[in-house]
Amino acid sequence: MGQNLTRKIIAAHLVAGEMKTGTEIAIRIDQTLTQDATGTMAYLQFEAMGVPRVKTELSVSYVDHNTLQTGFENADDHRFLQTVAAKYGIYFSRPGNGICHQVHLERFGVPGKTLLGSDSHTPTGGGIGMLAIGAGGLDVAVAMGGGPFYLTMPKVVKVELLGQLKPYVSAKDVILEVLRRLTVKGGVGKILEYTGPGVKTLTVPERATITNMGAELGATTSIFPSDEVTRAFLAAQQREEQWVELLPDEDAEYDETLVIDLSALEPLVACPHSPDAVKPVREMAGLKVDQVIIGSCTNSSFTDLVQVANILRGKKVHPDVSLAIAPGSRQVFEMLARNGVLADLIAAGARILETTCGPCIGMGQAPATNAVSVRTFNRNFYGRSGTASAKVYLTGPETAAATAIAGVLTDASGLGLTTRVEMPQQFLVDDSMIIPPAAEPDKVEVVRGPNIKPLPVNTELPETLQASVLIKVEDNITTDHIMPAGAKILPLRSNIPAISAYVFSQIDPTFAERAKAAGSGVVVGGHNYGQGSSREHAALAPMYLGVKAVIAKSFARIHHANLVNFGILPLTFVNEADYDRINRDDKLEIRNLRSQLAGETLTVHNLTTGETFMVRHNLSPRQISIVTDGGLLNHTRKQNA
Ligand code: MIC
Ligand code: SF4
């Protein structure tokens, strides 16, 4: 039987393990990317490793998240990132150059290469045929130092695309349909590989929209083949020489199959507060809308915004709607300015924002109390917009633009669109906002502002672990619940003592105080605990507050890895009914931790109720030593000593 594309790329990069589904493998990483909100920590960790220069083929540091400079903190971090990049051999994409995933696709992505990024939407690169995976900053730091990336060998799902999208249906609707079918935990342990005759009808930016938002399935990543469409994209970016054809074998085997008829799709919307709460726009049409925002790494490409302009041209934004538009990159922005499309957007009444993540991560444009906000983004988690009472709906650009004019949620099928926007033959290429590493790195001094605090280090796990249940939460808790972002908290990303005060603050503002007082704590969670972002702060800050273990029904991939990296024990219930028998403030005890970890299950004593229950760990021997040593940095230090 033939091989699928995913297995071909993994095989070409495999450095340890066997490609057996569910077992731990390690792969070589060709490229890395970081963004500023996770990057400061990643580079502090890289510095701690003592490697003089990155060992990857290419590493890029982007500034796109923390760009609202309401105090010195973010600007200080940018300066730190720029000097670290110069010193250690990393390309630096300046603030204003665009969102990391959009710029990486345009200027650096190469089919068949592996990309590890400290951002969960790194799979955007799958649109160009890369094996692009999101991870915690520490894993990315290790990869920059030349170390492999460890992951569980995933199942490969064949997503067969048939037919062709109607002019008013977009790539966003394809991924919303996948989310509707698989849910936010349906992709855990899987890679989605897109195949079939429908693939060639989608441009690279459209493919990238689909692989980008595959992150919301909890998937390891998503990937498209590299074909003539990919070649045309690279040629338009003046990088045709980097193209290689990459296809699955004709008789390739897959673990599962999903068939999607593109011709049958209609405009879809994800309702509050989850990307998988998907319905046809038609069913929700007429809902009064207060805000529309178009942008983010999912839907801010040149073709997306030209389509938006085609809908807005000659019309005005509804008087009750605030429309904001953030182009995804400087390339997109400048092209819109030069061909006059920007003028159409301005004339319609759009508020044009910087080419950054912006409102997607709560950096400005928080909606009004109880407002309905329609966004072309990928996440609508509770509170993420900055307004807890707001209701955020996720749609494609056509629906968003039509809605901005009508003032109510509007199905784009009635717009009379007859063609889809074609990808340009030539993009405007100007890399002057990407600074190459210094020619004389020894002369570069890394500049650290007062907001950059040293990395806290964990201690070894004790033989008998005694800890109080600090909080008990339900299914699908996101990292935005655990460690919120937004304009107020994000500037503290390089200051763990300060940011830790906000852990779980949206659910229980007393958490941080109680955790500190308890000294040693446990978090109890439901299914898919820690879904969403790659932010390791959702492990690092709880660790700083004394959290020693998380007992959940199941975990999201990146958060599970981050817990291990910082020495917090991730455990799952053997019998899910035991979740109901634990209460906040119960005292739990795990005896003989190391010998129990040598087996598959552990006994937990609930000292408060007098009951015992069983938990499971699915850690490899390597991960067991990392976690018991108090995290990867301690573990590495111990091994080197
Ligand atoms: C997000 O979309 O949640 C973020 C902000 O890009 C995060 C990274 C972060 O928290 O810094 C992600 O997706 O990993
Ligand atoms: Fe930025 Fe939003 Fe994309 Fe995260 S999802 S990288 S915050 S645009």
Side-chain angles (χ1 to χ4, degrees), residues 328-388:
S329 68
R330 179 164 160 272
Q331 179 183 77
V332 171
F333 205 4
E334 190 174 343
M335 284 175 74
L336 295 177
R338 291 196 183 277
N339 74 4
V341 165
L342 182 61
D344 295 328
L345 302 177
I346 296 170
R351 301 166 67 179
I352 308 296
L353 307 179
E354 226 191 333
T355 58
T356 58
C357 303
C360 180
I361 191 55
M363 274 281 175
Q365 303 288 323
T369 309
N370 297 325
V372 168
S373 178
V374 171
R375 301 172 164 211
T376 64
F377 304 171
N378 47 35
R379 289 186 174 148
N380 57 349
F381 299 147
Y382 173 76
R384 183 174 161 105
S385 68
T387 303

Side-chain angles (χ1 to χ4, degrees), residues 65 99-101 119 121 296-297 357 360-361 378-379 384:
H65 280 64
I99 305 175
C100 56
H101 309 302
D119 190 281
H121 291 104
S296 91
C297 57
C357 303
C360 180
I361 191 55
N378 47 35
R379 289 186 174 148
R384 183 174 161 105

Side-chain angles (χ1 to χ4, degrees), residues 40-41 44 73 77 450-454 456 489-501 537 541 544:
T40 40
M41 275 297 145
L44 287 173
E73 295 87 351
D77 285 0
N451 187 46
I452 300 183
K453 294 281 181 282
I489 307 177
L490 273 170
L492 305 174
R493 281 288 179 96
S494 39
N495 185 342
I496 300 299
I499 206 171
S500 66
H537 303 74
Y544 179 80

Side-chain angles (χ1 to χ4, degrees), residues 172 289-296 298-300 305 308 317 321-327 350-354 356-368 372-379 384-386 392-401 403-404:
K172 181 64 153 282
V289 171
D290 305 281
Q291 181 187 54
V292 174
I293 311 186
I294 297 169
S296 91
T298 318
N299 276 126
S300 59
L305 297 188
V308 166
V317 172
V321 174
S322 165
L323 169 67
I325 301 179
R351 301 166 67 179
I352 308 296
L353 307 179
E354 226 191 333
T356 58
C357 303
C360 180
I361 191 55
M363 274 281 175
Q365 303 288 323
V372 168
S373 178
V374 171
R375 301 172 164 211
T376 64
F377 304 171
N378 47 35
R379 289 186 174 148
R384 183 174 161 105
S385 68
V392 176
Y393 293 77
L394 308 173
T395 70
E398 291 82 359
T399 305
T403 298

Side-chain angles (χ1 to χ4, degrees), residues 202-502:
L202 298 170
T203 63
V204 166
E206 289 176 314
R207 296 175 183 186
T209 292
I210 295 171
T211 59
N212 169 285
M213 204 173 169
E216 273 50 72
L217 299 159
T220 304
T221 189
S222 306
I223 188 167
F224 272 82
S226 169
D227 56 8
E228 285 302 324
V229 175
T230 322
R231 184 211 284 256
F233 176 79
L234 281 168
Q237 292 285 354
Q238 297 174 19
R239 306 198 282 124
E240 192 176 355
E241 72 290 350
Q242 293 179 324
W243 179 75
V244 282
E245 187 175 56
L246 286 173
L247 307 171
D249 291 337
E250 275 189 18
D251 56 347
E253 263 192 279
Y254 292 87
D255 297 296
E256 289 169 21
T257 304
L258 199 74
V259 181
I260 293 184
D261 181 1
L262 299 176
S263 330
L265 290 182
E266 61 176 316
L268 298 172
V269 54
C271 301
H273 296 286
S274 184
D276 63 0
V278 175
K279 290 187 182 161
V281 172
R282 166 175 58 77
E283 279 179 22
M284 302 291 297
L287 174 76
K288 197 175 172 324
V289 171
D290 305 281
Q291 181 187 54
V292 174
I293 311 186
I294 297 169
S296 91
C297 57
T298 318
N299 276 126
S300 59
S301 67
F302 177 74
T303 40
D304 278 342
L305 297 188
V306 171
Q307 180 75 313
V308 166
N310 288 345
I311 298 168
L312 293 180
R313 191 168 298 119
K315 310 221 167 56
K316 297 290 174 199
V317 172
H318 188 279
D320 295 339
V321 174
S322 165
L323 169 67
I325 301 179
S329 68
R330 179 164 160 272
Q331 179 183 77
V332 171
F333 205 4
E334 190 174 343
M335 284 175 74
L336 295 177
R338 291 196 183 277
N339 74 4
V341 165
L342 182 61
D344 295 328
L345 302 177
I346 296 170
R351 301 166 67 179
I352 308 296
L353 307 179
E354 226 191 333
T355 58
T356 58
C357 303
C360 180
I361 191 55
M363 274 281 175
Q365 303 288 323
T369 309
N370 297 325
V372 168
S373 178
V374 171
R375 301 172 164 211
T376 64
F377 304 171
N378 47 35
R379 289 186 174 148
N380 57 349
F381 299 147
Y382 173 76
R384 183 174 161 105
S385 68
T387 303
S389 65
K391 291 171 207 69
V392 176
Y393 293 77
L394 308 173
T395 70
E398 291 82 359
T399 305
T403 298
I405 300 164
V408 292
L409 194 65
T410 302
D411 184 336
S413 63
L415 294 176
L417 295 170
T418 50
T419 49
R420 303 186 59 72
V421 178
E422 300 223 341
M423 205 193 66
Q425 301 266 312
Q426 269 307 314
F427 288 98
L428 189 153
V429 174
D430 169 10
D431 290 332
S432 57
M433 293 279 278
I434 300 172
I435 304 179
E440 293 181 275
D442 294 345
K443 296 206 174 129
V444 179
E445 196 203 320
V446 175
V447 186
R448 265 166 258 268
N451 187 46
I452 300 183
K453 294 281 181 282
L455 200 72
V457 193
N458 206 349
T459 49
E460 284 191 8
L461 275 180
E463 255 312 279
T464 300
L465 180 63
Q466 258 202 23
S468 319
V469 175
L470 298 170
I471 194 167
K472 183 174 163 182
V473 290
E474 71 270 28
D475 289 352
N476 294 322
I477 285 297
T478 71
T479 54
D480 279 278
H481 291 102
I482 306 169
M483 185 73 262
K488 183 169 148 205
I489 307 177
L490 273 170
L492 305 174
R493 281 288 179 96
S494 39
N495 185 342
I496 300 299
I499 206 171
S500 66
Y502 297 95

